[in-house]
Amino acid sequence: MKDKEVRVIELIKQTERYIFNIEAVKPGRMIYARHKSWEEGRGGYISAVGEDEIVVQCYAGLRNTASHFRILSEEVAKEQWEIRWSQDLKQIEELKITEQNLEVT
């Protein structure tokens, strides 16, 4: 019986990617966001923050119902989102994208 050759195939690859700074944006903060495909932005509360996405809870316009949308870090890096957020509405943070990195002002 011959030994079979075992091939090792990489299942995942390490790549450089943009991730959210989970210290800068926290759940419970108010947020206004507009994707480039939307006519108008939406306001809401950040309900979850991960390295790859922010989940925003927002009013759906139907009585006591709520909806949500996701903001993906890769889309933010590609300048597809306009985003402003605040903890107390006294200081409003705004996303600014530069050629070399993503900045918060």
Side-chain angles (χ1 to χ4, degrees):
M1 179 194 247
K2 286 187 167 184
D3 290 336
K4 291 186 179 181
E5 183 180 334
V6 176
R7 287 179 22 155
V8 177
I9 300 173
E10 289 183 33
L11 198 57
I12 59 172
K13 292 182 180 182
Q14 181 178 0
T15 61
E16 290 187 29
R17 63 187 174 98
Y18 288 101
I19 61 173
F20 286 113
N21 178 353
I22 58 176
E23 296 301 317
V25 183
K26 297 185 184 256
R29 301 214 171 151
M30 293 162 273
I31 188 169
Y32 167 86
R34 187 181 73 79
H35 188 268
K36 72 176 190 172
S37 66
W38 301 350
E39 285 187 30
E40 295 182 1
R42 298 179 189 164
Y45 290 92
I46 298 170
S47 60
V49 178
E51 289 185 343
D52 298 321
E53 75 177 1
I54 294 173
V55 179
V56 178
Q57 194 79 25
C58 59
Y59 176 62
L62 302 170
R63 294 193 166 209
N64 293 331
T65 62
S67 185
H68 71 277
F69 60 91
R70 299 178 193 286
I71 301 171
L72 302 178
S73 59
E74 290 296 321
E75 291 179 351
V76 172
K78 293 176 183 173
E79 301 184 41
Q80 296 179 358
W81 287 92
E82 171 188 342
I83 304 172
R84 292 188 295 275
W85 69 95
S86 178
Q87 180 175 347
D88 56 12
L89 292 180
K90 291 180 183 176
Q91 180 178 352
I92 298 174
E93 309 288 343
E94 184 174 6
L95 173 74
K96 294 285 186 190
I97 298 178
T98 64
E99 289 182 14
Q100 296 189 337
N101 63 3
L102 301 177
E103 291 184 345
V104 174
T105 59

